Amino acid sequence: MLNTFIGDLGHLSVIVAFVAATVAAYSYYMAARNRPLGEADGSWLRIGRTAFLVHSVAVISIIACLFTIIYTHRYEYYYAWSHSSNHLPVYYMISCFWEGQEGSFLLWIFWHVLLGLAIMRFHRKWEAPVMAVFAFVQLFLTSMILGVVVLDMKLGSSPFILLRDFLVDLPVFKTNPNFIPKDGTGLNPLLQNYWMVIHPPTLFLGFALTLVPFAFAIAGLWKGELTKWVKPSLPWALLGGLVLGVGVMMGAYWAYETLNFGGYWNWDPVENAVYIPWLVLVAAIHGMVLWQRSRTALRTSFVLVIASFLLILYATFLTRSGVLGNASVHSFTDLGLSGQLLIYLMAFVVLAIWLLVARWKSIPISEKELTTYNPELWVFVGATVLCLGAFQVLFTTSIPVYNAFLGFLGIKSNLALPADQIAHYTKIQLWMGVLVAFLTGLAQIMWWQKNDKETLTNSLAVPGMITLLSAALVILLVRYNKLQMSPVYIVLLTTGLFGVLANLGVVLTLLRRRVALSGGGIAHIGISLMLLGILASAGYSNIISKNVSGMVYSKEFPEDLNRDNVLLWRNESAPMGGYDISYTGQYYDVPGVPGYVNKELLFRTDDEYKALARADIKAEGKVYYKAGDTVEILPENTYYKVDYKEKESGNTFTLYPGPRSTRKWAACWLPPTSSVSPATTFIPTSAPCPTPARKRTGAR
């Protein structure tokens, strides 16, 4: 029986949230209009607060309704049917919540609600103008999930639409309008990963946090408080840079585990769309710190803070408009919201540029002349490097947008993304890393002392010498192991070591002086270590899975894929680097049974999640199922047993790679194959398969 009540309640809550955000935006605007900062109109302010609280309650109601639909398997609703299934554990049901566009918008709205409530509580002086911006943003975001049609124009996509209304042409609904599927299509197997539970909330919190300094900057321009906005917004910007950076790193590790790019970063356009605003936000933080310390770079701070939020909106447009559909494996499909997203982006671009132009001449500038020995100069140079790096990625990532825009104008464009995107981006971004590593050390040393030629030389001498000695030692070790190191990697190694050692020296010196302000040094050590980690993991990748069989996996595949991946026949040994390997069959992940269960021990039934045991299923000496028992299986978790034998030592071990490899040690990935024997498969690896110290049979 159809349960339309929960959907109607959720849709009503969306409408209430939209109307309340509209009222809050107008009320806060009227409260701050024509009044100095901190002297808002009391009556309008009360209306604005009440409206935002109503908006907050409505958002919580939307979340409760949507999760109830998913958790109770209400497959009469398209969102539950298309993202969930009966066999998903609760934590993956949570992932289902934000797998779709509507749910991810709702997650973003929720974080804005919490941040807005924090602004109302802790920044009363700035509340009216800042919350006017917050509520205006919420107005646009809630419109994205409104799901109403006004004058034949679709406004938003509702998560509460019934399946029969979405798939209206399906024959079953013509004969039985109340038809409800028994099961949903399920969560994409690639997303059935613990990172899907924690990565999106972290990333969207980072998105939401960029709004806070943006709102303060817009409020400062609006109210003519061109300098006071920096102090209250800087802590929020620092938190935003931290959270967004963690979100980017989480996404990189998720890609390494799940999509197995042969690394953690593939320069996918959607990955880039998040990376770009993070770089700009970090540059903005440095500009704000410069203003706090030496009353310089205020104009730069305004531009970069505003740009970081606008780039988040641009990233939203890129990933949700469908413009990247053929360029990225991450992007959402177009739900018909492209025009709405573009209006959303342009509204804030126009607002920000208008206010900046109107106030530009009034923004204070420093009369201080920056010389070589001013740390402010090198901090500014570092921020510039970050922005240039962001621009390079932005320019290339936006190629599909250029094509779409020219096509809209009737002009045919043949622009294409680089064939080798990794090489294209890396050749510039690598040098950006070199400059960032060097400047983090140089600027941090200069920041805490009065500088002239003698003092700077003395300060750089010790970390410089230790850096050169350490780099020479590493290079010798690399050559001793018969590996090569290109000149650019040597430069990155040297500057990365300098960044670590110089900042470590500063932190230790400050601790001896009992100075607590060493956060910048610690952060810079982290950045330098990250660059060294990237060098260590990416600088020595060695493809050992060369195809020497004389056959190809598929003529439809690119040449490099056929060339660099071992072709395996079941139960036949093949050489791969220093190993002889053989693929021996498919295995299932059976809940409650350690390790993996041979597919041949199971007889599949009409229910794809159940099978009959052909024989006793044992593991570690214990019988878990007897012959004839019904066994619960997870067919999407199919693994492929590959036996390895090291040629030199004779040591053997077994790996069970699968379509979504979630084990840190599973460097090999094999796609699903036919059950017909002999089956063929391939192992693409851009890094050597691990040589474990002990046998790993059935390791999880």
Side-chain angles (χ1 to χ4, degrees), residues 52 55-56 59 108-118 138:
F52 194 82
H55 169 79
S56 303
V59 168
W108 196 0
I109 292 167
F110 170 73
W111 285 128
H112 278 167
V113 163
L114 294 187
L115 293 174
L117 294 174
Q138 290 294 81

Side-chain angles (χ1 to χ4, degrees), residues 373-417:
Y373 298 105
N374 288 121
E376 293 85 359
L377 172 65
W378 298 105
V379 174
F380 185 82
V381 170
T384 303
V385 170
L386 291 172
C387 291
L388 289 175
F391 177 77
Q392 185 245 349
V393 179
L394 175 67
F395 182 82
T396 305
T397 302
S398 299
I399 285 176
V401 179
Y402 310 150
N403 292 335
F405 180 72
L406 291 174
F408 178 76
L409 297 178
I411 303 173
K412 186 177 181 179
S413 173
N414 294 322
L415 289 173
L417 290 168

Side-chain angles (χ1 to χ4, degrees), residues 11 17 55 86 109 168 176 241 302 338 366-367 379 421 435 478 525 560 593 647 692 696:
H11 198 191
H55 169 79
N86 296 334
I109 292 167
V168 64
N176 181 13
F302 267 114
S338 302
S366 174
E367 300 297 333
V379 174
Q421 295 191 54
L435 291 173
V478 168
I525 290 173
D560 59 341
V593 179
K647 294 178 181 179
R696 298 180 187 262

Side-chain angles (χ1 to χ4, degrees), residues 549-619:
S549 67
M551 296 178 289
V552 298
Y553 185 74
S554 172
K555 292 182 179 180
E556 298 179 357
F557 284 7
E559 179 184 352
D560 59 341
L561 193 149
N562 284 314
R563 181 191 65 231
D564 297 338
N565 300 289
V566 170
L567 182 65
L568 295 179
W569 294 81
R570 181 178 293 177
N571 297 323
E572 290 189 13
S573 180
M576 188 183 81
Y579 305 94
D580 286 321
I581 63 175
S582 58
Y583 162 55
T584 59
Q586 298 181 8
Y587 283 68
Y588 282 145
D589 183 5
V590 177
V593 179
Y596 306 93
V597 176
N598 193 329
K599 181 180 178 181
E600 295 180 0
L601 293 176
L602 300 169
F603 180 81
R604 299 293 295 275
T605 65
D606 292 339
D607 187 338
E608 62 176 333
Y609 289 92
K610 292 182 180 180
L612 296 177
R614 296 178 184 268
D616 291 351
I617 296 177
K618 304 177 182 179

